[in-house]
Amino acid sequence: MFSSLLIGLREGLEAALVVGILVAFLVRTDRRDRLRVLWIGVAAAVALSLAVGALLEFTAANLSDSALETFVGVTSLLTVAFVTTMVFWMQRTARHMKADLEGHLRTALAAGPVAILVTAFVAVVREGVETALFLWSNVQSNGNSASALLGGLIGIAIAVGLGWAVYRRSDRKSTRLNSSHVALS
């Protein structure tokens, strides 16, 4: 259960960070009117991630024992490939992630609502699919334990709560700074 909780927490915090950057940019640039479209893109990414998890489970449930061993092995290798590429990707992009996301969103704002939806979707779907793969692999390695799945869900719930709290705190701080700046002018 604990390893799944950590997977859910880590992946959830990454997704929450991405969503927080996108939401904060729209709020800061006074484009709150586009938040609904952004949230639709996030919801679509979450739905696809859940579908990937369901597809993995459905596939595994309908395989023979020998085919299941091969399937679990291939998905485990895919998971390792994701982790490896993620490490190199984060090493390359971590310093510029906020600027890159904001740049993509700025371009999407100029292009229209569909571009905003796609930007949010693409920004979140990678984390969601990784989470589905990591959790599914972990649940399989723990004997298809319900507690392992529950741990992942608890981790994701904690990450969502932390992401919301960090955003709310930074939004309040930003509001106070803006109002004191206006008062000084």
Side-chain angles (χ1 to χ4, degrees):
M1 181 176 189
F2 187 68
S3 60
S4 289
L5 185 139
L6 290 178
I7 290 169
L9 182 61
R10 180 181 50 110
E11 293 300 318
L13 283 173
E14 288 177 21
L17 173 66
V18 168
V19 172
I21 289 169
L22 296 174
V23 169
F25 179 78
L26 289 179
V27 169
R28 191 176 63 247
T29 59
D30 201 27
R31 295 305 309 259
R32 289 180 187 263
D33 60 315
R34 297 300 188 194
L35 283 171
R36 183 173 176 266
V37 175
L38 180 119
W39 284 114
I40 291 170
V42 170
V46 170
L48 180 63
S49 302
L50 290 170
V52 166
L55 180 64
L56 288 168
E57 188 55 33
F58 176 79
T59 302
N62 290 300
L63 292 175
S64 66
D65 288 342
S66 62
L68 179 61
E69 285 180 23
T70 302
F71 182 70
V72 170
V74 168
T75 55
S76 294
L77 289 173
L78 186 58
T79 301
V80 169
F82 263 128
V83 169
T84 304
T85 59
M86 180 189 68
V87 168
F88 289 117
W89 178 77
M90 284 301 285
Q91 186 177 23
R92 253 190 2 258
T93 62
R95 292 184 198 141
H96 309 288
M97 185 169 60
K98 180 180 178 204
D100 288 346
L101 285 169
E102 288 179 350
H104 290 303
L105 192 52
R106 186 175 288 110
T107 302
L109 279 167
V114 172
I116 295 166
L117 186 144
V118 169
T119 299
F121 177 83
V122 169
V124 175
V125 77
R126 177 183 174 142
E127 297 305 327
V129 170
E130 282 179 4
T131 304
L133 264 172
F134 296 166
L135 281 177
W136 186 82
S137 292
N138 196 48
V139 168
Q140 292 301 308
S141 70
N142 284 301
N144 228 354
S145 163
S147 66
L149 179 59
L150 180 63
L153 295 174
I154 290 169
I156 291 168
I158 292 169
V160 168
L162 288 172
W164 179 82
V166 167
Y167 170 74
R168 291 300 300 159
R169 180 153 171 85
S170 66
D171 187 41
R172 279 192 215 122
K173 201 178 225 182
S174 173
T175 303
R176 270 189 263 128
L177 287 174
N178 287 340
S179 63
S180 66
H181 182 270
V182 171
L184 294 174
S185 298

